[in-house]
């Protein structure tokens, strides 16, 4: 999510382009963030560890905590090709091959002292487990609690099985939020300031508006953005810095540049041949190579589910200073993987329509059951019930040993070749479109 | 201890869609009631388990009964029972089921129970069921429900969110509401309204079963030579397949026989078996653990029957049921620990006076795998021996497992 190696030209495609000012600004925000976390002489704010899905950033921020997201630290390591060492170390501690790569990357890193090339990760003073969409969150945070002896707050988020939450879900969540606030008051000696929370939420909302504007740009034809490959860079502020003015301003810069792209006709690819929906977590360790496999065929990711792991803002949700706790409760329910399969299928069906999608690529993660268990069934549903050409491929998000480039490339080439043939047949004179 | 099982030669398996020889059970379950020894009872149970068409559920349906499949680890069976329906513990396809379609739908790196359960749904083997409940014990079980809702659209399925925050005063009211959500579906399946009185009566039935299960577990802990692990397991397993009113007298009779058994204490090594709380190991593997010279004096098998102590129905039986889930002392891999994993394993070792721990975890079962690391650390600090082995539903060779277990036992004996 921060730096990647310098853009390499894709075989048969142009170099990926990023939004220049936004990229620069994003890099600066990432550096400042990790710089701030680094230990220094002066007294440091307390540190809360949190998970992306259903996180309570606004509340801990209102109490002056710094927030560390181990998932994001882990993916930063992976994208910088630094995950394998941590994973191997975790395996030497007993974590098996089938344990989530994030967990192993993080626990390995923590046991090795928490030093990364982008900064020193501080120890937690508080562990906030937002159990929203992934059971492994519980296991991971239990391991951190045992290793650091830090208190753990378990924020239990009901799984979403109906489109709208029920009153009892919201009541349960709001009650837990108050308990959380009382815990923070006790730990920090500060009195909860509702006005401060409302101010933070207003900034969150502003960032959310900007983020959604960026995501929705994928609806244009051609799309001025790569909704999967570029989003993972621009997710940092919405997930990590949400509630700060910097995060909100950031999306102003992003959207300015997206508008300029449209005006100047400067699109991610010279020719958008296929509008693709991507489902699943990216293979961070080989993210650029994976992107190249799309670019080669003129395939642009116009919409993706992964950027919604931190919240379904594009489906209308916003934090609301007028309903602070209720809206935080609603937010926590909205992590993408906290949606049941019928809801996930509905979201995807809507995307296919709204973004005029030609095909879908599902990237399954070997060590992530939450996202992946059932993606084969999704593929079957997309092909047979929605008539959408769909490819399923599998590797890992964190462990480079499971990314088989030749095999993945072959499968993708065969897939896009078949799409090309299908188009050629449909365009041939005298052939009625299927 | 009677020799009940032979390690079977490699099974041919049953191809998808085929069911092999089917066992027919009478609608009054007389085959079980007529079994005149524990040995006969467990043999019959073994035969029933080898038939993936759920013979006891088919028998129950002969008189028009409805059945609800409950995925492990914990479902409030009392709720299902209060509608006069049969709650059935679904424990996958066992050794005799070939997986052909589920792999593609579910994914490769997943436990066998999830795949075999889906395979059974796709091949009609779950036809005797009217509905299914999948508790949120892990992401696989949770997602499996989402697939069931697509592949079996005519049958109700429900994902039950079991809470993980056990300190909030809001948790019990939430769980009551969550149970009401399940009740809405059960009412539709049963064609009947929920009744507090019926639930009260059901709680008493399950209290009775639980008390007998506890008595059996105590026997296994205190006089493990009187009941083998396989017998113990099959007697419990049967409890999730039969109407509880049938299982209760059977178990009571079996206990009387077992408690009176005159067996010699072999002075085997006392171990606890941790990890198989959801997918169940094969009978052969369970037998092997004791064959090599261990007594299993504590384990996580068939947790469904052992989730909580007696439930007093109280003024609001639904609230009592929810409270029992939240307040249970059970601390296993699918429930956030109220203390630490280290403390949890050590107290179990102490309570059972175990000399070592055998971790038997289902392949790809991440909740179990992650706990093992923390458990091991605590055991290392105490200098307690342990062994970790993974299993799948379809294991055909046990040579490697036997070797590992023998080495483990020897290491304790000659320590
Ligand atoms: S959602 Fe998947 S990748 Fe994320 S922590 Fe859970 S198992 Fe790991
Ligand atoms: S065996 Fe483990 S991973 Fe599989 S469904 Fe059961 S708890 Fe989940």
């Amino acid at each position: 999510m921060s730096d990647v190696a310098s853009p390499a030209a894709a075989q048969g495609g142009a170099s990926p382009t990023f939004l220049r000012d936004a990229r620069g600004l994003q890099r600066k925000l990432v550096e400042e963030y990790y710089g701030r976390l680094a230990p220094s002489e002066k007294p440091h704010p307390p540190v809360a560890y949190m998970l992306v899905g259903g996180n309570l950033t606004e509340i801990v921020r209102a109490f002056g905590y710094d927030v560390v997201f181990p998932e994001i630290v882990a993916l930063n390591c992976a994208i910088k090709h630094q995950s394998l060492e941590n994973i191997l170390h975790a395996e030497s501690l007993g974590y098996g091959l089938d344990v989530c790569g994030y967990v192993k990357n993080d626990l390995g890193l923590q046991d090795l002292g928490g030093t990364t090339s982008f900064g020193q990760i501080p120890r937690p003073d508080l562990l906030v487990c937002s159990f929203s969409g992934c059971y492994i969150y519980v296991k991971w945070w239990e391991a951190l609690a045992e290793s650091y002896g830090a208190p753990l707050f378990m924020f239990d988020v009901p799984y979403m099985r109906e489109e709208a939450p029920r009153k009892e879900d919201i009541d349960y969540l709001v009650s837990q939020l108050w308990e959380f606030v009382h815990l923070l008051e006790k730990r920090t000696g500060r009195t909860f300031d509702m006005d401060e929370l409302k101010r933070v939420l207003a900034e969150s909302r502003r960032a959310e508006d900007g983020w959604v504007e960026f995501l929705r740009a994928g609806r244009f034809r051609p799309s001025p953005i790569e909704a999967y490959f570029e989003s993972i860079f621009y997710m940092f502020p919405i997930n990590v810095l949400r509630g700060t003015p910097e995060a909100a301003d950031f999306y102003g810069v992003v959207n300015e540049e997206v508008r300029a792209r449209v005006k100047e006709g400067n699109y991610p690819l010279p020719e958008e041949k296929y509008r693709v929906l991507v489902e699943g977590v990216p293979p961070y360790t080989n993210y650029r190579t994976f992107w190249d496999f799309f670019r080669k065929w003129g395939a642009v990711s116009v919409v993706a589910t992964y950027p919604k792991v931190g919240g379904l803002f594009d489906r209308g949700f916003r934090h609301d200073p007028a309903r602070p706790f209720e809206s935080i409760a609603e937010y926590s329910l909205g992590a993408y993987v906290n949606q049941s399969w019928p809801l996930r299928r509905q979201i995807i069906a809507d995307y296919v329509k709204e973004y005029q999608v030609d095909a879908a690529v599902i990237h399954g993660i070997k060590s992530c059951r939450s996202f992946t268990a059932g993606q084969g069934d999704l593929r079957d549903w997309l092909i047979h019930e929605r008539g959408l050409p769909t490819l399923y491929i599998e590797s890992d998000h964190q462990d480079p040993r499971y990314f088989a480039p030749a095999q993945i490339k072959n499968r993708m080439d065969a897939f896009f070749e078949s799409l090309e043939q299908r188009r050629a047949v449909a365009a041939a004179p005298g052939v009625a479109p299927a | 201890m009677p020799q009940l099982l032979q390690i079977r030669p490699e099974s041919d398996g049953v191809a998808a869609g085929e069911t092999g020889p089917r066992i027919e059970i009478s609608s009054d379950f007389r085959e079980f009631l007529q079994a005149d020894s524990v040995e006969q009872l467990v043999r019959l149970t073994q035969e029933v388990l080898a038939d993936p068409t759920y013979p006891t559920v088919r028998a129950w349906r002969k008189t028009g009964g409805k059945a609800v499949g409950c995925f492990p680890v914990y479902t409030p069976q009392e709720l299902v029972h209060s509608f006069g329906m049969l709650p059935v513990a679904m424990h996958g396809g066992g050794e005799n089921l070939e997986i052909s379609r589920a792999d593609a739908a579910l994914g490769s790196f997943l436990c066998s129970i999830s795949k075999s359960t889906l395979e059974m749904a796709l091949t009609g083997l779950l036809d005797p069921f009217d509905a299914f409940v999948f508790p949120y014990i892990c992401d696989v079980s949770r997602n499996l429900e989402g697939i069931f809702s697509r592949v079996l659209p005519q049958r109700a399925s429900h994902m039950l969110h079991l809470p993980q925050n056990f300190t909030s005063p809001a948790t019990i009211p939430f769980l009551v509401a969550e149970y009401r959500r399940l009740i809405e579906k059960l009412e539709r399946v049963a064609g009947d309204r929920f009744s507090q009185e019926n639930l009260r009566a059901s709680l008493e039935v399950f209290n009775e079963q639980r008390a007998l299960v506890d008595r059996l577990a105590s026997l296994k802990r205190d006089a493990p030579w009187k009941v083998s692990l396989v017998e113990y397991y099959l007697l419990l397993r049967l409890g999730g397949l039969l109407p509880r009113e049938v299982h209760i007298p059977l178990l009571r009779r079996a206990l009387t026989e077992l408690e009176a058994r005159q067996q010699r204490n072999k002075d085997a090594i006392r171990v606890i078996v941790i990890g198989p709380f959801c997918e169940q190991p094969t009978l052969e593997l369970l037998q092997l653990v004791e064959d090599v010279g261990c007594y299993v004096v504590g384990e996580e098998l068939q947790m469904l029957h052992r989730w909580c102590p007696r439930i007093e129905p109280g003024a609001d039986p639904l609230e009592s049921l929810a409270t029992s889930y939240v307040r249970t002392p059970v601390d296993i891999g699918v429930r956030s620990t109220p203390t630490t994993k280290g403390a949890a394993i050590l107290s179990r070792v102490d309570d059972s006076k175990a000399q070592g721990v055998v971790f038997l975890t289902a392949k790809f079962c991440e909740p179990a795998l992650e706990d093992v690391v923390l458990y091991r650390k605590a055991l290392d600090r105490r200098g307690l021996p342990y062994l970790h082995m993974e299993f799948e539903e379809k294991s055909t060779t046990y040579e490697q497992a036997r070797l590992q277990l023998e080495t483990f036992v020897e290491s304790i004996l000659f320590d």
Side-chain angles (χ1 to χ4, degrees):
Chain A
M1 207 175 272
S2 66
D3 294 325
V4 287
S6 63
Q11 213 183 356
S15 294
T17 51
F18 289 104
L19 301 165
R20 222 164 38 86
D21 292 350
R23 252 330 250 130
L25 181 55
Q26 191 263 359
R27 204 174 268 148
K28 186 168 154 277
L29 291 175
V30 170
E31 273 165 21
E32 281 173 6
Y33 167 76
Y34 284 112
R36 183 181 151 82
L37 292 180
S40 59
E41 296 304 308
K42 47 187 183 341
H44 207 280
V47 172
Y49 276 21
M50 229 181 256
L51 291 143
V52 171
N55 67 67
L56 304 178
T57 300
E58 286 83 0
I59 294 182
V60 291
R61 241 182 241 302
F63 275 93
Y65 273 82
D66 273 346
V67 189
V68 169
F69 289 88
E71 284 155 302
I72 291 176
V73 174
L75 73 85
N76 272 310
C77 289
I79 213 160
K80 287 166 181 290
H81 308 291
Q82 294 163 12
S83 57
L84 188 57
E85 188 193 340
N86 299 333
I87 288 173
L88 291 174
H89 185 68
E91 286 175 3
S92 77
L93 299 174
Y95 288 96
L97 285 177
D98 305 308
V99 167
C100 165
Y102 273 153
V103 176
K104 285 196 287 186
N105 190 349
D106 175 58
L107 295 180
L109 173 69
Q110 305 268 354
D111 198 66
L112 288 168
T115 310
T116 70
S117 66
F118 43 91
Q120 173 67 33
I121 309 305
R123 294 166 62 96
D125 299 292
L126 178 66
L127 295 159
V128 185
C129 183
S130 46
F131 170 47
S132 173
C134 173
Y135 187 70
I136 296 312
Y137 284 176
V138 175
K139 314 309 294 178
W140 187 354
W141 255 234
E142 281 176 350
L144 287 171
E146 291 211 26
S147 116
Y148 288 116
L152 190 161
F153 181 79
M154 182 63 66
F155 182 51
D156 181 29
V157 180
Y159 188 54
M160 285 292 283
R161 293 145 286 174
E162 293 155 336
E163 273 197 38
R166 293 192 178 195
K167 184 181 171 297
E168 55 258 32
D169 296 337
I170 301 295
D171 289 349
Y172 180 39
L173 290 163
V174 168
S175 170
Q176 292 183 80
L177 291 176
W178 278 113
E179 288 155 34
F180 184 48
V181 162
H182 296 322
L183 173 77
L184 292 173
E185 283 186 325
K186 231 161 83 195
R187 291 194 62 79
T188 60
R190 286 165 70 155
T191 309
F192 173 58
D193 179 349
M194 185 59 99
D195 290 335
E196 169 64 5
L197 179 66
K198 287 181 178 173
R199 196 194 54 71
V200 172
L201 288 174
E203 290 298 350
S204 292
R205 192 185 181 107
R206 204 157 65 82
E208 288 154 11
D209 285 339
W211 169 237
V212 169
E213 187 183 335
F214 168 75
L215 293 173
R216 291 219 170 122
R219 292 176 177 190
F220 290 110
R221 281 195 94 113
S223 164
I225 64 160
E226 282 274 12
Y228 184 65
F229 294 104
E230 281 187 295
S231 285
I232 63 172
F233 289 90
Y234 306 137
M235 279 164 75
F236 183 86
I238 195 69
N239 288 327
V240 180
L241 305 177
R242 208 179 57 230
T244 66
E246 289 80 7
D249 294 345
F250 173 78
Y251 292 105
V253 176
V254 169
N255 290 320
E256 198 52 52
E257 281 193 70
V258 172
R259 284 191 283 273
R261 272 188 186 177
V262 176
K263 212 159 132 204
E264 292 156 18
N266 181 16
Y267 294 103
L269 284 176
E271 189 194 353
E272 177 185 277
K273 283 171 91 183
Y274 302 105
R275 297 172 62 79
V276 179
L277 174 148
V278 186
E279 144 83 13
V281 185
Y284 277 110
T285 58
N286 288 273
Y287 143 90
R288 188 60 66 112
T289 310
F290 191 48
W291 191 356
D292 286 347
F293 294 163
F294 284 76
R295 294 169 56 76
K296 173 185 172 189
W297 289 94
V300 176
S301 58
V302 294
V303 63
T305 52
Y306 178 68
K308 323 297 160 50
V309 287
L312 290 164
F313 303 113
D314 63 329
R315 309 272 293 176
F317 170 79
R318 293 291 182 280
H319 281 98
D320 184 355
R323 301 164 51 247
F325 275 35
E326 288 74 11
S327 70
I328 294 174
E330 285 163 13
Y331 164 74
S332 68
L333 291 159
Y336 175 68
V337 277
N338 198 46
Q339 314 305 304
S340 68
W341 267 119
L343 295 176
R344 275 170 78 172
R345 287 193 285 268
Q346 188 54 52
I347 292 169
I348 289 171
D350 292 346
Y351 283 163
V352 169
K353 216 157 103 196
E354 289 163 19
Y355 289 79
Q356 300 176 53
V357 165
D358 301 313
V361 174
I362 301 172
H363 181 243
I365 298 290
K366 172 198 173 293
S367 68
C368 170
R369 276 104 203 157
S370 172
F371 234 108
T372 309
Q375 282 179 331
D377 185 62
L378 174 69
R379 174 184 170 274
D380 185 72
W381 175 76
L382 282 170
I383 293 175
H384 296 113
E385 291 188 30
R386 314 299 296 195
L388 188 76
T390 302
L391 173 71
Y392 178 79
I393 42 179
E394 200 163 62
S395 74
D396 197 63
H397 53 339
Q398 297 286 292
D399 194 331
R401 293 171 294 181
Y402 295 102
F403 188 87
Q407 199 189 343
I408 292 175
K409 180 172 176 297
N410 281 347
R411 301 214 38 218
M412 292 189 63
D413 285 350
F415 178 68
F416 284 113
E417 236 166 67
S418 77
L419 286 187
E420 211 162 68
Q421 270 167 19
R422 201 186 287 208
R423 273 202 183 158
V425 171
V431 178
Chain B
M1 184 173 59
Q3 189 66 31
L4 290 167
L5 284 167
Q6 315 244 298
I7 305 270
R8 273 173 263 169
E10 195 167 323
S11 134
D12 290 340
V14 176
E18 296 171 20
T19 53
R22 285 159 63 119
I23 296 177
E24 289 307 321
I25 301 284
S26 315
S27 60
D28 58 4
F29 302 94
R30 77 177 76 111
E31 293 76 1
F32 292 95
L33 297 166
Q34 286 167 357
D36 57 13
S37 66
V38 168
E39 192 169 334
Q40 266 192 29
L41 191 57
V42 298
R43 262 188 208 289
L44 186 54
T45 309
Q46 211 182 327
E47 280 174 38
V48 164
L49 290 182
D51 177 352
T53 68
Y54 283 96
T56 59
V57 185
R58 287 190 285 107
W60 166 259
R61 296 188 74 84
K62 285 179 191 164
T63 50
K66 291 185 174 172
V68 177
C70 305
F71 197 76
V73 176
Y74 174 83
T75 295
Q77 312 163 79
E78 290 89 337
L79 280 182
V80 176
H81 185 271
S82 75
F83 283 93
M85 298 190 285
L86 179 66
V88 181
M90 296 198 297
H91 277 291
E95 290 174 271
N96 294 332
L97 189 82
E98 282 305 324
I99 306 294
S100 72
R101 294 170 60 188
D103 260 338
L106 206 50
S108 330
F109 299 94
L110 296 173
C111 53
S112 354
I113 186 173
S114 60
K115 290 187 193 176
S116 63
T117 302
L118 181 58
E119 186 74 26
M120 292 170 95
L122 293 169
T123 53
L125 289 172
L126 298 184
D127 284 355
F129 292 92
D130 298 281
F132 305 94
V133 183
F134 292 84
Y136 193 169
I137 49 158
C138 73
D139 304 320
V140 180
S141 136
R142 180 199 74 182
N143 286 10
L144 196 52
E145 189 279 326
I147 304 175
F148 261 59
S149 67
R150 184 172 102 79
V151 300
L152 295 179
Q154 274 79 40
R155 240 78 62 74
S157 68
H158 186 77
M159 206 298 296
L160 179 70
H161 185 98
L162 292 173
Q164 296 292 338
N165 181 341
F166 300 118
T167 54
S168 168
T171 305
I172 291 171
F174 165 76
L175 189 54
V176 168
E178 188 62 32
Y179 284 173
R180 287 203 180 278
R181 228 182 266 212
L182 172 60
I183 286 171
E184 284 171 24
K185 282 195 188 160
L186 292 176
E187 284 183 336
R188 282 200 291 275
V189 176
D192 200 358
R193 299 299 305 273
F194 170 69
S195 139
Q196 282 212 349
E197 271 325 298
N198 289 352
L199 179 58
R200 216 170 254 128
S202 296
L203 287 175
E204 290 301 359
V205 172
F206 283 81
N207 278 336
E208 203 176 344
Q209 188 190 34
R210 229 178 264 124
L212 293 169
V213 166
D214 281 352
R215 212 170 110 195
L216 182 62
S218 303
L219 181 69
K220 186 72 187 121
R221 185 192 58 221
D222 301 333
W225 51 91
K226 291 197 175 190
V227 51
S228 75
L229 181 62
V230 170
E231 289 171 317
Y232 167 83
Y233 169 72
L234 289 173
L235 288 172
L236 291 191
R237 184 87 190 258
L238 190 58
L241 294 171
L242 284 179
R244 305 314 186 256
E245 293 79 356
V246 176
H247 184 244
I248 287 169
L250 289 176
L251 188 54
R252 189 173 292 122
R253 217 169 60 200
L255 270 162
T256 310
E257 183 187 326
L258 291 169
E259 283 163 347
R261 251 188 195 166
Q262 298 297 319
Q263 298 284 341
R264 201 170 49 86
N265 178 355
K266 285 194 301 185
D267 281 333
I269 287 164
R270 294 172 66 89
V271 297
I272 54 174
V273 171
I274 301 295
F277 44 75
C278 178
E279 184 173 321
Q280 304 292 282
T282 59
L283 296 179
E284 286 86 344
L285 187 54
L286 293 179
Q287 178 165 333
L288 205 53
V289 175
E290 293 203 318
D291 273 0
V292 298
C294 297
Y295 281 142
V296 175
V297 291
E299 31 59 50
E300 297 183 335
L301 297 160
Q302 297 295 299
M303 290 306 298
L304 178 70
H305 307 299
R306 297 188 289 152
W307 193 266
C308 51
R310 180 181 164 76
I311 305 174
E312 292 305 334
D316 181 347
L318 195 57
E319 191 181 302
S320 306
L321 189 62
T323 306
S324 74
Y325 176 82
V326 174
R327 300 266 182 269
T328 179
V330 166
D331 188 352
I332 61 172
V334 291
R335 182 184 156 89
S336 70
T337 181
T339 56
T340 62
K341 289 287 165 190
I345 191 84
L346 292 177
S347 81
R348 290 171 72 179
V349 167
D350 292 342
D351 290 349
S352 55
K353 300 191 181 62
Q355 296 161 274
V357 177
V358 176
F359 295 111
L360 273 188
T361 60
K363 193 157 172 51
F364 301 120
C365 175
E366 200 171 347
L369 283 175
E370 296 201 16
D371 281 357
V372 168
V373 182
L374 302 181
Y375 288 151
R376 280 171 41 175
K377 266 193 204 160
L379 296 175
D380 282 338
R381 281 197 297 271
R382 252 292 179 97
L384 281 163
Y386 54 81
L387 169 70
H388 183 193
M389 298 195 298
E390 288 191 328
F391 65 89
E392 291 185 87
E393 280 184 352
K394 281 179 76 69
S395 305
T396 47
T397 120
Y398 293 91
E399 282 323 301
Q400 169 82 2
R402 176 182 286 280
L403 199 67
Q404 283 177 283
L405 282 161
E406 282 173 349
T407 313
F408 173 65
V409 168
E410 278 161 20
S411 74
I412 297 177
L413 283 176
F414 302 113
D415 193 20

